[in-house]
Amino acid sequence: MQKQGSINVLGGVLAPCSRDPLTGFFRDGACNTCPEDQGSHTVCAVMTAEFLAYSKYVGNDLSTPRPEFDFAGLKPGDSWCLCAGRFLQAYDEGCAPMVHLEATHQRALDVVPLRVLQEQAAPD
């Protein structure tokens, strides 16, 4: 699998999203992507209790530990590379998490309008 250019939604170099917990399609700490990344794990989002509950409700439980996958489960405050479609779905439902723009891959723009990402931008 070949990573696509590590460019963020602002046109700069893609910043790391999280190394603890280790995130990303490539589990490299960044929201890098490639054609094989069917879910477009490109939005670096800051987890909230509300979003984690929503994600579990719609069938993607991110908060329960899964030791067999070396996954400790996410908690509020953790940063994580979310699927762009799931982020947009949560936004439409009024429970989208905040986003680190510098760590969100430009491919997220294929799914999520820049104005939506900017509206949800986390303070620096």
Side-chain angles (χ1 to χ4, degrees):
M1 289 184 287
Q2 183 75 29
K3 287 182 194 176
Q4 293 185 328
S6 297
I7 306 298
N8 66 34
V9 294
L10 303 175
V13 175
L14 187 68
C17 182
S18 175
R19 296 208 184 282
D20 185 20
L22 189 59
T23 191
F25 181 76
F26 292 97
R27 288 297 188 265
D28 60 0
C31 298
N32 282 301
T33 191
C34 65
E36 292 82 5
D37 178 10
Q38 297 290 316
S40 187
H41 295 78
T42 51
V43 178
C44 182
V46 182
M47 298 296 100
T48 63
E50 181 184 31
F51 174 78
L52 289 169
Y54 171 78
S55 189
K56 186 174 185 175
Y57 173 75
V58 295
N60 187 20
D61 183 359
L62 296 172
S63 52
T64 300
R66 298 289 303 269
E68 67 272 27
F69 298 117
D70 198 26
F71 180 70
L74 300 177
K75 59 191 181 313
D78 286 343
S79 291
W80 192 251
C81 294
L82 279 185
C83 292
R86 176 70 75 210
F87 171 82
L88 188 57
Q89 181 184 22
Y91 176 82
D92 289 342
E93 295 289 332
C95 59
M98 300 301 279
V99 173
H100 290 295
L101 296 175
E102 298 82 8
T104 295
H105 197 283
Q106 68 179 354
R107 284 284 312 280
L109 298 174
D110 293 348
V111 178
V112 184
L114 181 58
R115 66 166 180 76
V116 169
L117 292 169
Q118 290 171 324
E119 190 178 308
Q120 294 299 121
D124 289 337

